[in-house]
């Protein structure tokens, strides 16, 4: 059976004229002009024109192609023929066509890009949406981003860890938790690997990172929130907030550069031209941020978290990636380290794209007593944190870290409006399947 693929579409070149090859893919288009029939086969890399001349073609092969439904999966063995007018400068004259997976018709959505489908329809049949070069490019760039992050952090001496997603306590405030049944007890889906990555500092791993899911039960229905997102988290010992900000800006710049270098084709199919963010990123304090927002006419009080409108207005003024530092202690989580001489402010920062927040982080409280009282001050029950607090009693180094949203990094890089576009199977208030 001629089913063994010898080449992807882009591995075949016009100078292979006369060679026999086998390609595998989907029947993208079938055009029967009587004397000549064209079958365009699409594989992961691109399109191949298969040309059947009625006069010389084997009858069975012609029948198979004429009866083929669009989007069926086929293996085509044929001879390469130089053809300047065909995609990539060659066509295939088939000697055998095998149908490996027949597609029903009508199709649930168009895959050629000629007919627009709304996002909901596309997400309902994501498997089919992925056949469009546009969608595939997004996920191939997502892959490049994660790959370059791993490479960068590995070079910087970070150890990749994986921590539990079923947990007993909240980290990012008690309101946004998904409860689950865990045998006879209540448990939750983890909002952040925060506590576990900090435990690794007491464990002496020194520098760790995790790329994994975070779960937030927020009822938001916005274009930048998911209920299940992917967080890129780091934690590092003997570093302060400034040190991990430098790691973060260098990482973002490295990721952009890697995507520009390795993802040129995908960027082209998305119509995106990347500007590599220049380091160091601008740093403004929370006070300065509030000042800018007010000057721009936003109503915001000192001590408030930034609204989406304020974020936009500050982002417009700054116009590139930037940090907001020195946040009010009371609006940051208990683990952010207050300044000794000004405890109403803490060593926390957010890293912003002009459109939205991409990351937040801080130097952490590493004193057991202070941490315990910070937990209580934030209205949480310190007893529930005993497994975490214990690590601070037996030798905890000073440490700092951050969490960076993978989807937000990707959507802002590609200028995509809706965060759901950059997740294979988004989870939001309404969407639980597929
Ligand atoms: P934070 O809650 O700010 O910090 O989350 C870090 C980053 O994760 C992304 N993110 C989200 N993306 C999409 N949908 C959501 N619902 C969502 N929630 C968060 C954002 C955000 O900037 N433990 C700290 C990090 C740390 O201090 O190390 C934390 O979780 O891009």
């Amino acid at each position: 059976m001629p089913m063994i693929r010898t080449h992807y579409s882009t591995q075949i070149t016009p100078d292979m004229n006369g060679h026999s090859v086998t390609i595998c893919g989907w029947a993208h288009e079938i055009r029967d002009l009587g004397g000549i029939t064209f079958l365009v086969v699409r594989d992961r890399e691109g399109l191949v024109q298969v040309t059947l001349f009625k006069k010389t073609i084997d009858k069975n092969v012609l029948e198979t192609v004429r009866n083929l439904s669009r989007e069926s999966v086929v293996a085509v063995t044929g001879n390469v023929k130089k053809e300047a007018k065909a995609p990539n400068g060659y066509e295939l004259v088939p000697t055998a066509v095998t149908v490996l997976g027949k597609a029903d018709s009508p199709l649930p959505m168009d895959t050629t890009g000629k007919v627009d489908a709304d996002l909901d329809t596309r997400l309902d049949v994501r498997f089919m949406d992925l056949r469009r070069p546009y969608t595939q490019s997004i996920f191939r760039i997502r892959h490049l981003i994660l790959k370059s992050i791993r490479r960068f952090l590995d070079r910087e001496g970070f150890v990749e860890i994986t921590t539990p997603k079923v947990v007993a306590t909240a980290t990012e405030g008690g309101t946004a938790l998904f409860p689950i049944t865990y045998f006879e007890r209540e448990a939750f889906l983890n909002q952040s690997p925060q506590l576990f990555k900090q435990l690794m500092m007491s464990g002496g791993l020194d520098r760790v990172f995790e790329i994994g899911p975070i779960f937030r039960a927020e009822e938001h229905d916005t274009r930048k929130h998911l209920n299940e997102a992917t967080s890129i988290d780091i934690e590092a010992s003997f570093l302060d907030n400034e040190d991990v900000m430098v790691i973060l800006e260098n990482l973002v710049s490295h990721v952009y550069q890697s995507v520009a270098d390795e993802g040129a084709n995908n960027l082209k199919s998305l119509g995106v031209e990347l500007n590599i963010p220049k380091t160091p990123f601008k740093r403004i304090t929370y006070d300065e941020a509030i000042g800018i927002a007010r000057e721009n006419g936003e109503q915001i009080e000192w001590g408030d978290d930034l609204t989406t409108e304020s974020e936009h207005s500050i982002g417009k003024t700054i116009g590139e990636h930037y940090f907001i530092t020195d946040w009010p202690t009371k609006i940051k989580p208990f683990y952010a380290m207050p300044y000794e001489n000004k405890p109403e402010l803490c060593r926390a920062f957010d890293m912003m794209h002009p459109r939205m927040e991409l990351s937040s982080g801080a130097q952490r409280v590493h004193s057991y007593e202070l941490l315990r009282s910070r937990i209580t001050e934030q209205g949480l029950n310190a007893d529930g944190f005993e497994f975490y607090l214990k690590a601070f009693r037996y030798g905890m180094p000073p440490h700092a870290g951050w969490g960076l949203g993978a989807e937000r990094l990707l959507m802002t890089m590609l200028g995509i409006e809706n965060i759901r576009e950059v997740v294979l199977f988004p989870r939001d208030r309404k969407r639980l399947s597929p």
Side-chain angles (χ1 to χ4, degrees):
M1 270 246 293
M3 212 168 57
I4 306 304
R5 173 168 59 200
T6 60
H7 294 79
Y8 282 117
S9 56
T10 48
Q11 291 172 326
I12 303 169
T13 53
D15 59 15
M16 288 164 67
N17 200 32
H19 285 249
S20 175
V21 296
T22 299
I23 55 156
C24 292
W26 285 258
H28 186 68
E29 218 181 307
I30 304 140
R31 268 178 296 144
D32 191 351
L33 309 179
I36 190 166
T37 301
F38 293 107
L39 160 66
V40 179
V41 176
R42 185 189 68 246
D43 68 8
R44 195 181 76 173
E45 307 296 317
L47 303 174
V48 178
Q49 178 171 301
V50 180
T51 308
L52 299 87
F53 301 98
K54 196 177 168 192
K55 275 196 184 142
T56 49
I57 192 75
D58 178 285
K59 258 216 178 93
N60 291 329
V61 173
L62 185 61
E63 259 333 276
T64 306
V65 171
R66 280 185 167 162
N67 290 328
L68 207 54
S69 52
R70 267 183 56 213
E71 292 301 321
S72 289
V73 176
V74 290
V76 178
T77 300
N79 297 315
V80 179
K81 185 164 163 269
K82 208 169 170 166
E83 172 53 69
K85 279 179 275 174
N88 304 313
Y90 72 88
E91 62 186 5
L92 283 192
V93 180
T95 49
V97 174
T98 312
V99 181
L100 303 174
K102 182 180 167 297
D104 284 350
S105 43
L107 299 169
M109 70 171 281
D110 173 64
T111 54
T112 61
K114 286 176 189 152
V115 187
D116 256 351
D118 63 36
L119 186 55
D120 263 331
T121 307
R122 290 172 44 209
L123 293 175
D124 285 343
V125 283
R126 193 57 141 166
F127 66 90
M128 192 130 227
D129 181 43
L130 266 169
R131 297 183 193 178
R132 297 165 64 221
Y134 171 85
T135 310
Q136 236 179 65
S137 293
I138 294 176
F139 290 98
R140 292 180 73 167
I141 289 178
R142 189 177 162 114
H143 161 72
L144 290 179
I145 290 181
L146 297 180
K147 183 172 86 166
S148 66
I149 288 175
R150 287 199 164 89
R151 182 172 56 209
F152 177 91
L153 291 173
D154 178 56
R155 278 189 206 147
E156 294 279 326
F158 285 81
V159 175
E160 182 164 5
I161 57 168
T162 47
T163 63
K165 303 306 154 205
V166 176
V167 298
T169 43
T171 58
E172 311 300 315
T175 53
L177 276 168
F178 282 116
I180 58 167
T181 306
Y182 192 70
F183 303 107
E184 62 286 349
R185 277 181 288 172
E186 187 179 52
F188 305 97
L189 294 176
N190 207 5
Q191 299 166 304
S192 158
Q194 185 64 36
L195 307 187
F196 297 103
K197 63 179 182 169
Q198 287 192 262
L199 290 180
M200 295 303 97
M201 300 301 99
S202 186
L205 272 183
D206 198 73
R207 290 177 170 216
V208 299
F209 78 100
E210 175 162 9
I211 300 178
I214 56 169
F215 300 91
R216 308 275 168 113
E218 291 144 357
E219 297 198 5
H220 296 131
D221 181 15
T222 77
R223 295 191 295 181
K224 61 174 189 182
H225 287 96
L226 292 163
N227 293 113
E228 177 176 0
T230 307
S231 179
I232 300 141
D233 272 88
I234 74 154
E235 204 64 30
S237 292
F238 310 104
L239 297 187
D240 66 14
N241 42 317
E242 274 295 332
D243 298 325
V244 294
M245 284 161 67
V246 172
I247 294 174
L248 179 54
E249 63 194 355
N250 286 338
L251 174 121
V252 169
S253 168
H254 170 81
V255 168
Y256 269 73
Q257 189 63 58
S258 305
V259 171
D261 293 345
E262 298 174 57
N265 285 343
N266 295 309
L267 289 171
K268 203 168 137 200
S269 88
L270 292 165
V272 172
E273 246 180 72
L274 277 194
N275 289 320
I276 319 288
K278 283 190 197 60
T279 56
F281 294 173
K282 212 167 252 167
R283 284 139 167 82
I284 59 170
T285 62
Y286 169 85
D287 284 6
E288 287 165 340
I290 294 287
I292 296 171
R294 283 195 188 141
E295 266 169 41
N296 292 346
E298 299 297 327
Q299 296 210 326
I300 185 161
E301 295 298 320
W302 195 94
D304 288 349
D305 212 343
L306 297 182
T307 58
T308 299
E309 293 72 33
S310 312
E311 276 184 13
H312 285 164
S313 105
I314 302 163
K316 237 189 200 145
T317 303
I318 309 260
E320 55 191 357
H321 289 79
Y322 65 103
F323 284 103
I324 305 178
T325 63
D326 301 348
W327 285 75
T329 306
K330 69 170 191 232
I331 54 169
K332 283 291 177 186
F334 58 80
Y335 47 76
M337 169 93 96
Y339 282 102
E340 284 113 77
N341 55 353
K342 219 177 183 204
E344 66 277 18
L345 295 183
C346 66
R347 295 176 179 272
F349 57 85
D350 281 2
M351 194 272 285
M352 313 290 295
H353 179 274
R355 283 173 60 198
M356 69 188 78
E357 174 199 315
L358 299 187
S359 169
S360 52
Q363 182 175 339
R364 321 300 190 182
V365 175
H366 65 281
S367 133
Y368 171 79
E369 288 77 21
L370 180 56
L371 188 56
R372 207 182 157 86
S373 66
R374 292 285 302 124
I375 290 175
T376 315
E377 273 164 35
Q378 297 228 341
L380 298 162
N381 181 359
D383 294 342
F385 289 88
E386 219 20 69
F387 76 96
Y388 164 71
L389 281 166
K390 204 186 266 172
F392 292 75
R393 285 168 46 204
Y394 300 100
M396 176 61 95
H399 59 282
W402 42 253
L404 167 66
E407 288 80 18
R408 291 193 182 177
L409 179 63
L410 179 55
M411 74 188 284
T412 52
M413 174 185 280
L414 300 180
I416 287 173
E417 289 298 322
N418 194 321
I419 196 165
R420 291 162 184 79
E421 290 258 10
V422 302
V423 202
L424 281 173
F425 301 105
R427 291 291 171 259
D428 63 23
R429 190 71 206 275
K430 291 177 214 108
R431 191 167 276 284
L432 189 56
S433 172

